C-alpha cells in the first residue's frame, strides 16, 4: 500500500514538474536584449542585469545590479539623458535611473502596476516611460511624476516626439496610435483602428507624416496633425510587422514575420523592392539600421545582412556560424564604425562587426 | 526530439490554440468564456474515454469484491507470481481490462498539458510569448485583429497566478478560484468514488486520492495562471454533471464514513 501511495505521489510530482517546465523557470528570459549606444559604451539590458560594454574591445565596464536578483529583469533599450543618466524599465514594474558612467543607482520610480516592456523616451529633459499597465508616465530628470496618460491598451513600443506639432506619439497594443501633448499629457487625437497591434516605434519624417507598422500586415502613413490615414501598404501574405520602419532618403525599410524585407516609398507607399533573404522565411523582428546608403537588418536565424539601397545583398554573417543556434531580435545599433547585434540563445550577449562584416569582438558576460 | 516537438505542436497545441482563439472571437472576445466553452467541448469529445474509464473502474471494483478473488488471494497468499497469473485469468473471465481505468486517464494527460500550454501561449504577456504565439496561428482567419487577447474575466487576470493579484481581505490574499478548485475536485472525487469496504486496497487508494488530489489541484490553481484554474473548475463541474447524467453519482460518499456506517448498522 505504501508503495502505491509513493508511486501516486511521484506521479503528482511529475505532473507538477511538467507544468512548471511549461511555465518556464523564474529567471528564464521572456524577451530579447535592449541595446543602446553612445560613443564610448554599449548598454545592454538583458534578463537580470544591465551591462555597460566598452566599444573599444568589448570588455565589461560595469553591471547593475552587482548582485543578481531574479525578481528584477530588464529587456528594454536603456535611454540616455543629457545629464548622464541611463533610464531603464524593469519587469518588476520599476523604472530605474543609473549613472551611465558608473552604473550606480540614482532613483527608482515605482508607480507602474505592470512591467516595462517598451523602451523609454528621453526628450527635452523629460522622461516618457510607457508601461504594460496601459499608462504612459512622464517624469522629470529626478524621477518625479509630471503626468500620467492612460490608453486603452498596453504599450510595448517606445513613443516618439515631433516638436513641430508639439506631439508625442504613442503606439499601442489596442491597434491605435495616440497623439499626446508632451507638456501635460492631454490627448490630441487618436488614430482609427489600424487592424492589428502596434509594437514597433513609428518612423517620422519632416513632412509631418508618421509611419506605423501593424500586426495586421500593413504599414500606414498617418497625418501627424490629425491621425488621418494618408496611404497604406500591405505586406505579402499579410506578414505581421513587429518593429517600426526606418526612414532614409524618403524610403521606408522594414521586415515582417514571414521573413520578407521591404523598401517602400514614403511619399506614396509604393514598393521599391522586396527581398526574402532566406528560403525558410525566418522572422525579421528588429528594425533595420541605415548607415549612408546601406541597410543592415537581422533575423530569427542569427543572420546580420547588409543590403544597398537598390536591394542588392552586399554580405551576410551569422552570429553563431558553428552551430546556427543564435537568434537576433534586437534592432542592430551603430557607433564608432561598428555594427552591434545582441543575439539570444548563445553565450555571446553582444557582437561587434565592422562595416565589412568582420567580427571585431564579442561580449560574453562573466559568470554566465 | 525536434520531430516530437513538431508533432506535439501540429497535433495538439496548434489546434487547441486556434480553437481557443476562434471561440474567443465568437464569444465577444471574452477569454474566460472561451476557456469554459472549450473545456466543455474537450470533455464532450473525450466522453467515450471517460465512460470507458468508469466502466473499467467499476469492473475492477466488482472483481476485487468478488468471493472468487478473495479465495484466490487466500490460496496464493505467499506466491506473488501465481497470484498475478490468477488475477489476469480472472480479469479475462470477468471481461475487465486492467489498463481500462488508467489508460483513459493517461490519454487525457496530454490533453491537460496541451490545454495548459494553449491557454498560457494564447495570453502571451511577454514579447517572446507573443512571437511564439504567432508561429502557432493558422493563416485562414484574421488572428491579428484579435491580438492581444483580453485576459480579464470577472475578477480574474487569466494570465497571472491568483497569488499575485487575488482579492485582499484584512491584508490577506484570498485565492477564491484556488478554493473553488479544491472544493470542486474534492466534490468530484467524493461523488464519483463508490463506497468500499474498510481495509480493502481500493478504499485506501481512494482515500489517498480524495485527500491529495484536491490539495494538489489547489496548489496548481494557486501557483499557475488563473486560466488553468478556470479550466479545472469547469472540468470538475462538467465531470460531475456527466457522471450525474450517467446515474453514477454516489451521494452517500458526501456523508462522513463513520456516520454512514452507523446508519448502515441501524
Amino acid at each position: 500500500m505504501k508503495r502505491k501511495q509513493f508511486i501516486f505521489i511521484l506521479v503528482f510530482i511529475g505532473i507538477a514538474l511538467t507544468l512548471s517546465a511549461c511555465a518556464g523557470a523564474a529567471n528564464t528570459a521572456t524577451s530579447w536584449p535592449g541595446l543602446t549606444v553612445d560613443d564610448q559604451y554599449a548598454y545592454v539590458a538583458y534578463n537580470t542585469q544591465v551591462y555597460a560594454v566598452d566599444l573599444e574591445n568589448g570588455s565589461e565596464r560595469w553591471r547593475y545590479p552587482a548582485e543578481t536578483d531574479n525578481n528584477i529583469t530588464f529587456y528594454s533599450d536603456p535611454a540616455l539623458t543629457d545629464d548622464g543618466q541611463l533610464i531603464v524599465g524593469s519587469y518588476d514594474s520599476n523604472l530605474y535611473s543609473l549613472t551611465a558612467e558608473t552604473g550606480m543607482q540614482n532613483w527608482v520610480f515605482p508607480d507602474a502596476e505592470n512591467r516595462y516592456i517598451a523602451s523609454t523616451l528621453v526628450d527635452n529633459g523629460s522622461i516618457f516611460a510607457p508601461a504594460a499597465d496601459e499608462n504612459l508616465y512622464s517624469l522629470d530628470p529626478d524621477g518625479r511624476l509630471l503626468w500620467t496618460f492612460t490608453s486603452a491598451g498596453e504599450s510595448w513600443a517606445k513613443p516618439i516626439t515631433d516638436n513641430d506639432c508639439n506631439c508625442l506619439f504613442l503606439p499601442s497594443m489596442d491597434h491605435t496610435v495616440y497623439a499626446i501633448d508632451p507638456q501635460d499629457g492631454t490627448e490630441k487625437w487618436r488614430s482609427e483602428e489600424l487592424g492589428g497591434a502596434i509594437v514597433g516605434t513609428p518612423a517620422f519624417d519632416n513632412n509631418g507624416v508618421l509611419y506605423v507598422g501593424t500586426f495586421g500586415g500593413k504599414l500606414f502613413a498617418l497625418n501627424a496633425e490629425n491621425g488621418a490615414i494618408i496611404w497604406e501598404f500591405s505586406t505579402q501574405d499579410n506578414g505581421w510587422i513587429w518593429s517600426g520602419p526606418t526612414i532614409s532618403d524618403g524610403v521606408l525599410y522594414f521586415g515582417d514575420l514571414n521573413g520578407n524585407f521591404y523598401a517602400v516609398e514614403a511619399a506614396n507607399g509604393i514598393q521599391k523592392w522586396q527581398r526574402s533573404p532566406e528560403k525558410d522565411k525566418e522572422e525579421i523582428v528588429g528594425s533595420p539600421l541605415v548607415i549612408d546608403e546601406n541597410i543592415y537588418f537581422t533575423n530569427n536565424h542569427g543572420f546580420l545582412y547588409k543590403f544597398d539601397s537598390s536591394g542588392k545583398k552586399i554580405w551576410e554573417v551569422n552570429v553563431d556560424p558553428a552551430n546556427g543556434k543564435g537568434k537576433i531580435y534586437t534592432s542592430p545599433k551603430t557607433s564608432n564604425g561598428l555594427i552591434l547585434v545582441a543575439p539570444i540563445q548563445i553565450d555571446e550577449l553582444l557582437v561587434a562587426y565592422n562595416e565589412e562584416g568582420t567580427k571585431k569582438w564579442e561580449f560574453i558576460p562573466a559568470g554566465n | 526530439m525536434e520531430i516530437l516537438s513538431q508533432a506535439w505542436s501540429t497535433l495538439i497545441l496548434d489546434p487547441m490554440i486556434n480553437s481557443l482563439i476562434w471561440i474567443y472571437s465568437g464569444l465577444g472576445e471574452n477569454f474566460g468564456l472561451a476557456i469554459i466553452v472549450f473545456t466543455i467541448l474537450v470533455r464532450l469529445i473525450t466522453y467515450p474515454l471517460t465512460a470507458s474509464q468508469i466502466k473499467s473502474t467499476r469492473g475492477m471494483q466488482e472483481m476485487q469484491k468478488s468471493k472468487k478473488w478473495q479465495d484466490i488471494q487466500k490460496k496464493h497468499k505467499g506466491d506473488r507470481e501465481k497470484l498475478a497469473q490468477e488475477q489476469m485469468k480472472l480479469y479475462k473471465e470477468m471481461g475487465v481490462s486492467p489498463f481500462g481505468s488508467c489508460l483513459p486517464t493517461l490519454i487525457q494527460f496530454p490533453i491537460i498539458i496541451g490545454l495548459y500550454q494553449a491557454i498560457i501561449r494564447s495570453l502571451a504577456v511577454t514579447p517572446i510569448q507573443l512571437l511564439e504565439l504567432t508561429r502557432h496561428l493558422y493563416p485562414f482567419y484574421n488572428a491579428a485583429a484579435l491580438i492581444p487577447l483580453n485576459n480579464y474575466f470577472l475578477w480574474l487576470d487569466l494570465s497571472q497566478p491568483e497569488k499575485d493579484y487575488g482579492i485582499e481581505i484584512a491584508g490577506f490574499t484570498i485565492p477564491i478560484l484556488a478554493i473553488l478548485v479544491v472544493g470542486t475536485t474534492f466534490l468530484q472525487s467524493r461523488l464519483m468514488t463508490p463506497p468500499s469496504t474498510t481495509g480493502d486496497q481500493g478504499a485506501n487508494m481512494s482515500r489517498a486520492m480524495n485527500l491529495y488530489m484536491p490539495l494538489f489541484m489547489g496548489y496548481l490553481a494557486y501557483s499557475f495562471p488563473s486560466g488553468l484554474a478556470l479550466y479545472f473548475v469547469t472540468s470538475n463541474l462538467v465531470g460531475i454533471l456527466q457522471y450525474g447524467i450517467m446515474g453514477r453519482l454516489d451521494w452517500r460518499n458526501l456523508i462522513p464514513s463513520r456516520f454512514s456506517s452507523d446508519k448502515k448498522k441501524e
Side-chain angles (χ1 to χ4, degrees), chain A residues 75-194:
Chain A
Y75 298 102
S76 59
D77 294 345
L80 285 158
T81 66
D82 291 341
D83 61 354
Q85 294 182 64
L86 190 73
I87 311 293
V88 59
S90 164
Y91 272 31
D92 72 349
S93 309
N94 288 320
L95 188 72
Y96 292 83
S97 162
L98 313 177
T99 299
E101 184 64 24
T102 60
M104 298 296 287
Q105 182 184 301
N106 300 315
W107 49 259
V108 177
F109 174 72
D111 288 14
E113 291 179 359
N114 204 338
R115 60 194 81 184
Y116 286 94
I117 293 173
S119 302
T120 300
L121 169 73
V122 174
D123 188 69
N124 278 337
S126 289
I127 295 161
F128 303 99
D133 62 1
E134 304 185 355
N135 287 323
L136 169 69
Y137 298 96
S138 172
L139 313 176
D140 72 12
D142 295 322
R144 285 186 292 258
L145 181 66
L146 299 173
W147 51 257
T148 303
F149 172 81
T150 304
S151 63
E154 294 185 17
S155 293
W156 285 17
K158 178 182 174 179
I160 58 163
T161 48
D162 169 26
N163 293 327
D164 286 345
C165 94
N166 192 30
C167 290
L168 178 83
F169 303 109
L170 178 70
S172 172
M173 297 279 277
D174 69 8
H175 304 189
T176 60
V177 177
Y178 295 83
I180 302 157
D181 186 322
Q183 264 71 50
D184 57 16
T186 52
E187 182 179 319
K188 290 190 163 193
W189 54 256
R190 74 175 71 177
S191 71
E192 62 181 81
E193 222 279 359
L194 296 177

Side-chain angles (χ1 to χ4, degrees), chain A residues 1 4-5 8 12 15 18-19 22-23 30-32 91 115 117 156 173 175 196 215 240 242 283 300 329, chain B residues 109 113 116-117 125-128 130-131 134-135 137 144-145 147-148 201 204 208-209 212-213 216 220 224:
Chain A
M1 187 64 231
K4 280 195 174 178
Q5 282 191 358
F8 188 64
F12 270 3
I15 295 170
T18 309
L19 290 175
C22 301
T30 56
S31 187
W32 41 89
Y91 272 31
R115 60 194 81 184
I117 293 173
W156 285 17
M173 297 279 277
H175 304 189
F215 280 1
W240 294 22
W242 191 286
E283 297 143 347
N300 179 46
Y329 299 129
Chain B
F109 184 61
I113 298 292
Y116 168 72
Q117 289 187 341
V125 292
T126 65
I128 286 277
L130 185 53
L131 193 57
T134 65
R135 296 168 187 149
L137 298 173
I147 285 171
Q201 273 198 338
N204 289 337
M209 278 279 277
Y212 294 129
M213 186 62 102
F216 175 70
L220 290 184
F224 291 97

Side-chain angles (χ1 to χ4, degrees), chain B residues 34-103:
Chain B
I35 291 174
I36 292 169
V37 170
F38 188 67
T39 308
I40 293 169
L41 288 175
V42 169
R43 288 296 304 223
L44 287 177
I45 292 165
T46 55
Y47 178 73
L49 293 173
T50 313
S52 121
Q53 183 188 8
I54 295 166
K55 199 180 153 199
S56 297
T57 309
R58 296 266 166 182
M60 291 275 280
Q61 278 161 348
E62 275 164 25
M63 189 212 82
Q64 292 202 335
K65 278 184 202 163
S66 71
K67 190 169 179 306
K68 198 170 181 182
W69 169 239
Q70 282 162 6
D71 290 344
I72 290 170
Q73 275 181 309
K74 274 180 201 163
K75 193 176 169 187
H76 304 288
K77 203 176 178 182
D79 187 350
R80 282 194 167 193
E81 202 176 322
K82 187 70 185 165
L83 184 66
Q85 283 172 0
E86 292 298 319
Q87 189 180 17
M88 290 309 287
K89 268 188 200 169
L90 194 60
Y91 279 143
K92 269 191 181 171
E93 270 176 36
M94 297 186 74
V96 175
S97 161
F99 304 108
S101 58
C102 63
L103 196 62

Side-chain angles (χ1 to χ4, degrees), chain A residues 267-311:
Chain A
N268 48 28
I270 292 172
Q271 182 177 298
K272 272 188 79 181
W273 49 263
Q274 177 192 334
R275 299 289 178 268
S276 306
E278 281 201 76
K279 284 179 194 164
D280 289 342
K281 299 266 180 188
E282 295 291 340
E283 297 143 347
I284 298 169
V285 173
S287 290
L289 169 71
V290 182
I291 305 172
D292 299 325
E293 298 227 320
N294 297 307
I295 302 116
Y296 301 85
F297 64 95
T298 56
N299 76 0
N300 179 46
H301 211 182
F303 278 100
L304 168 65
Y305 297 99
K306 180 178 182 177
F307 277 65
D308 70 15
S309 56
S310 68

